[in-house]
Amino acid sequence: MTVRIYHNPRCSKSRQTLGLLQENGVEPEIVLYLETPPDAATIRAIVGKLGLASARDLMRRGEAVYKELGLKDVTDEDALIQAMADNPILIERPIVLNGAKARIGRPPEGVLEIV
């Protein structure tokens, strides 16, 4: 299995998580998700692998675009997922995938459970 990290090099938690993986002998496939955003189907799969109750739990609610799009009041899961596909800055980071398992690297050490 290939370990994949949805990574933003400008994010300290994302850099810490990538470093932690590498320190533990894992060289993940790095997806710079702001440059190559995942599509809605991929985001839906990630939500499922993370075991989240709602796609909203994968969203960065403090981002300006979250407020601009009025996402606080949106209850349609498909609409939330599409908002992340259209505006990848809304996706919480970093996300590490390993097969059917996934973890958000907050805190970074949590990703070691799946590698």
Side-chain angles (χ1 to χ4, degrees), residues 6 31 33 36-47 58 81-86 88 91:
Y6 285 85
V31 177
Y33 72 94
T36 311
D39 61 17
T42 301
I43 295 169
R44 185 173 285 103
I46 291 170
V47 169
L58 185 61
I81 289 169
Q82 191 59 53
M84 286 186 277
D86 294 341
I91 301 171

Side-chain angles (χ1 to χ4, degrees), residues 22-106:
Q22 292 170 330
E23 288 167 16
N24 282 274
V26 178
E27 284 299 330
E29 173 189 339
I30 299 171
V31 177
L32 300 175
Y33 72 94
L34 293 176
E35 296 173 17
T36 311
D39 61 17
T42 301
I43 295 169
R44 185 173 285 103
I46 291 170
V47 169
K49 288 178 182 186
L50 287 167
L52 301 175
S54 169
R56 186 179 314 281
D57 296 333
L58 185 61
M59 299 182 97
R60 296 176 56 81
R61 297 176 216 173
E63 293 292 335
V65 70
Y66 184 87
K67 293 173 185 76
E68 290 166 12
L69 295 175
L71 294 172
K72 177 183 175 192
D73 299 321
V74 174
T75 58
D76 179 10
E77 288 292 306
D78 290 335
L80 294 173
I81 289 169
Q82 191 59 53
M84 286 186 277
D86 294 341
N87 303 279
I89 193 70
L90 288 170
I91 301 171
E92 186 59 81
R93 61 186 180 254
I95 303 166
V96 176
L97 304 172
N98 187 8
K101 301 174 187 173
R103 293 287 184 281
I104 296 174
R106 292 180 178 273

